[in-house]
Amino acid sequence: MSTCSTVSQELDEPIAGTAATARTWLLLEQPGPWGARALTSSHLNPALGRALEAAAKGTGVRIALIRRPGRHADCGTPAARQVYAAHTDPGNAWLHSATADDPGALLDLDFAALGRGEHQTFDAALGARPHTGGPLALVCTNGKRDRCCALLGRPLAAELAASEVEGVWEVTHLGGHRFSPTLLVLPYGYAYGRAEAHAVKEVLHGVREGRVVVEGCRGSSAWERPGQAAELAVRTTVGEYAADALRVEATSGSAPRWQVTVAHADGRRWSVEVAQGSSLPPRPESCGTSILGSPARMEVRAVHELRATALAG
């Protein structure tokens, strides 16, 4: 069976620089089925879903629904829901957790502060604390958005859960369903595509040690897409895998060409030339459409280390 994900893999479409963009993630447990726009087409009150979307707009916070792996029959309203907030900025990455009897309490949050990486409002409103378990492995299984997410994501989530991998959740749309199964790992916010269980376990092992696995990585949600590609290119070029070591310091230019400055915590800097290309030949970008498209791809053309003298000049 040909799907958008099989076509993407057969054509060897690159995945670096394709992650969703969000400095802060807010995750709300919502069992049961999810529609294509899960915040307003699930068993969550749609009026609340619309209010949350409006509250988060423009703040750098992205809201997603999560549920335990397995069957998703309607079991009624959960007595208490798991809620997570995670900030992905290097040097200030954190993951806090809480439970909420009333999901409407999320409207009491200061979304602008959350987007800046301030967790105090989340802690105060929900009685949240720093997450003490392992990293979260969020597997997109939103089949109503694209069937690949269900066909490939649900078996991956089930396999990881059966292997007793800690922190596995199903999650709503992460973007890039043609790279299914897709995965987001928190707190650092790196996304992965075409994921397999053994690779996910290696990624989570790396996160526990503060490392980033670059194989299969789509990029960090902390950066826009040119920055995602540039940061991964620097990691590969210099062999730097510590999660907090690199940050995207500046991006200049506009599509189809950018100059991205990537900075190391030790003071080193690199200038990375990134160009936007098109993935050819044209193909359906989603199983939900028959329209042929040429997905944008981030192509790193050059990586140059900036010497201190050049910076001073």
Side-chain angles (χ1 to χ4, degrees), residues 148-192:
C148 287
C149 298
L151 291 172
L152 300 173
R154 290 192 64 187
L156 174 62
E159 182 178 354
L160 291 169
S163 300
E164 298 184 347
V165 175
E166 184 183 0
V168 179
W169 292 86
E170 297 185 10
V171 68
T172 50
H173 187 54
L174 293 176
H177 29 252
R178 64 188 183 278
F179 305 120
S180 294
T182 59
L183 176 85
L184 176 72
V185 180
L186 295 175
Y188 297 126
Y190 284 87
Y192 291 83

Side-chain angles (χ1 to χ4, degrees), residues 267-283:
R268 288 178 290 164
R269 285 175 171 77
W270 295 264
S271 177
V272 184
E273 181 182 333
V274 181
Q276 179 176 298
S278 297
S279 294
L280 298 173
R283 81 294 302 270

Side-chain angles (χ1 to χ4, degrees), residues 34-36 38 67 140-146 149-150 171-173:
W34 297 332
R67 64 190 178 196
C140 180
T141 62
N142 195 350
K144 293 295 185 181
R145 190 68 176 252
D146 190 279
C149 298
V171 68
T172 50
H173 187 54

Side-chain angles (χ1 to χ4, degrees), residues 92-127:
N92 186 35
W94 49 260
L95 173 62
H96 285 212
S97 64
T99 56
D101 295 328
D102 176 13
L106 272 63
L107 291 175
D108 294 333
L109 300 177
D110 183 338
F111 282 86
L114 265 182
R116 293 191 299 267
E118 301 167 15
H119 54 73
Q120 291 81 0
T121 176
F122 181 72
D123 296 349
L126 299 175

